Amino acid sequence: MKTRILLTALLACASLATAEIRVGVIVSGTGPAASLGIPERNTVALLPQTIAGQKIVYTILDDASDTTAAVTSARKLIQDNKVDLIIGTTTTPASLAMIDVVAEAKVPMISLAASESIIKPVDAKRQWVFKTPQTDAIMAAAIAQHMQQNKIKTVGYIGFNDAYGEGWLAELKRNAAARGIKVVAEERYGRSDTSVTGQVLKVLAAKPDAVLIGASGVPAVLPEKTLKDRGYTGKVYQTHGVANADFLRVGGKDVEGAILPAGPVLVADQLPDTNPNKKVGLNYASLYEAKYGQGSVSTFGAHMWDAGLLMQKAIPSALKKAQPGTAEFRSALRDALEGSRNIIGAHGIFNLSATDHLGLDARSRVMVQVVDGKWKLLK
């Protein structure tokens, strides 16, 4: 009898020692947002396979840049794969749609999308949701500051006709007004549209000093190309949603001169040695490019990298309170993410709290410009 009890205890201990932590990943590997989602997916291969002695099992699903597919994927990961954490998804509309799913199941989620509305206000549902990309609010403030410094008085806007575009328009209006800049035109377009001539003509009719394009990925090239084709010579601003090699490759000469805020990882090699994110950014870039090729690194993959850093910090704390695969562990993991402090990432320094599930500040942004087909840090 004693032998049987001892054997049972040993088996139980062995089971705990080899428990798996299941992480579900949803990205836009195909569709209009693929240029963002592919480097996010690629980065998963660089994330740790074990944390605090526990095996990490990643399940990656592609939402094809579709909101309904993202929701379906989230449900599948929770119901079928029994995940302890979800990382994703790539776009703002899909991330917003996933909030109800993870909140109902009480599974923490780290979004890879930009809009501040994903995490604010931290209510009963959003208490389960975190994110790593800089918010549109953080980045819009940098754009408005740059506009003011360059004596811009009027700005036109053309952006996505979804939550991402509307969020950027709201932040542009708020920050522009605070700096005495007037928004004189507002136009929208779809992520999969092939022409924006009508919208661009309306923007040009307002004769703005500058134009902000509130879009992300390769679809953000179209408005800038159309502006250039129509002879616009004012400054063109983009959002941090275009900070990857595909935007430069597809845009070519049509995006030359574009100005945008970006995470410091985009120009890590140009940062001063005193910048705390330089070392982390260069480390991520070297790992990514060693696997996927020189010049392949992007800010979007680095959002996944930073999610991995948050995960590495939070999991050991959660393991002290509960075992993976349990509701108690998922709750403890949520608490640990919320308590993350002074985590130096590729994009900034994360200090999360009960009221801020991002925890980045102005140190998470730099202004860059496309010069000779490359990203150049603006001093």
Side-chain angles (χ1 to χ4, degrees):
M1 183 68 178
K2 290 182 179 179
T3 302
R4 183 178 297 175
I5 293 173
L6 179 60
L7 179 60
T8 301
L10 289 172
L11 289 173
C13 290
S15 175
L16 292 177
T18 59
E20 295 179 344
I21 297 173
R22 300 184 180 186
V23 178
V25 177
I26 306 173
V27 296
S28 300
T30 56
S35 65
L36 287 63
I38 290 172
E40 293 169 352
R41 181 191 64 202
N42 288 347
T43 301
V44 177
L46 306 178
L47 299 184
Q49 301 301 303
T50 61
I51 297 177
Q54 305 298 312
K55 182 180 180 181
I56 311 298
V57 177
Y58 300 96
T59 301
I60 307 174
L61 300 180
D62 176 14
D63 66 17
S65 306
D66 180 77
T67 297
T68 301
V71 171
T72 301
S73 296
R75 289 198 176 107
K76 175 178 173 55
L77 289 170
I78 292 169
Q79 295 170 5
D80 298 346
N81 298 91
K82 311 298 182 185
V83 297
D84 296 301
L85 170 70
I86 288 179
I87 301 178
T89 185
T90 304
T91 67
T92 289
S95 290
L96 288 170
M98 288 165 56
I99 292 175
D100 285 344
V101 178
V102 299
E104 181 181 0
K106 296 184 178 179
V107 173
M109 171 177 120
I110 304 176
S111 172
L112 303 174
S115 178
E116 189 172 57
S117 60
I118 295 168
I119 55 167
K120 288 188 177 181
V122 183
D123 53 21
K125 292 181 178 180
R126 287 176 174 81
Q127 69 172 321
W128 292 94
V129 182
F130 304 84
K131 65 192 286 311
T132 52
Q134 302 88 337
T135 63
D136 38 21
I138 289 173
M139 297 309 215
I143 288 177
Q145 181 181 18
H146 189 273
M147 287 180 175
Q148 184 182 45
Q149 292 170 345
N150 285 270
K151 313 299 182 185
I152 289 171
K153 298 297 182 182
T154 59
V155 58
Y157 177 83
I158 176 170
F160 285 156
N161 59 353
D162 60 24
Y164 184 86
E166 292 305 310
W168 261 98
L169 177 58
E171 290 301 332
L172 171 64
K173 287 181 173 180
R174 184 171 67 85
N175 284 278
R179 293 181 178 274
I181 302 168
K182 185 177 180 181
V183 179
V184 295
E186 306 171 16
E187 295 295 324
R188 282 84 163 175
Y189 73 108
R191 290 176 184 253
S192 58
D193 286 355
T194 57
S195 174
V196 291
T197 300
Q199 296 95 318
V200 165
L201 289 175
K202 291 178 181 178
V203 170
L204 293 178
K207 299 181 179 179
D209 297 331
V211 176
L212 170 62
I213 299 172
S216 61
V218 172
V221 171
L222 182 61
E224 186 160 2
K225 173 178 170 50
T226 308
L227 284 165
K228 298 285 178 66
D229 288 346
R230 292 287 171 171
Y232 185 68
T233 58
K235 291 187 183 301
V236 177
Y237 291 83
Q238 293 274 1
T239 75
H240 58 313
V242 305
N244 65 12
D246 281 345
F247 175 77
L248 296 179
R249 176 182 56 80
V250 174
K253 63 180 179 58
D254 293 315
V255 299
E256 186 72 14
I259 301 169
L260 59 138
V265 65
L266 187 66
V267 287
D269 60 334
Q270 301 176 45
L271 297 174
D273 292 340
T274 54
N275 189 300
N277 302 113
K278 181 171 184 175
K279 183 178 180 180
V280 178
L282 288 175
N283 178 53
Y284 168 69
S286 65
L287 291 171
Y288 191 94
E289 292 184 347
K291 188 172 182 65
Y292 300 107
Q294 188 68 29
S296 59
V297 72
S298 80
T299 62
F300 303 103
H303 293 313
M304 178 68 76
W305 182 256
D306 285 347
L309 293 178
L310 291 179
M311 183 176 66
Q312 291 175 68
K313 178 69 173 181
I315 283 176
S317 176
L319 285 170
K320 295 177 182 178
K321 299 181 179 179
Q323 288 300 311
T326 65
E328 292 78 12
F329 178 75
R330 293 189 288 272
S331 180
L333 185 56
R334 189 218 75 86
D335 293 346
L337 286 168
E338 190 173 82
S340 299
R341 300 286 189 277
N342 295 316
I343 297 178
I344 301 176
H347 278 281
I349 300 175
F350 294 86
N351 284 287
L352 287 75
S353 70
T355 58
D356 185 353
H357 280 194
L358 169 63
L360 291 178
D361 55 27
R363 292 173 294 179
S364 67
R365 70 192 187 202
V366 294
M367 292 299 293
V368 303
Q369 186 172 25
V370 180
V371 178
D372 296 329
K374 299 179 180 179
W375 306 111
K376 180 181 179 182
L377 176 66
L378 295 177
K379 305 299 183 181

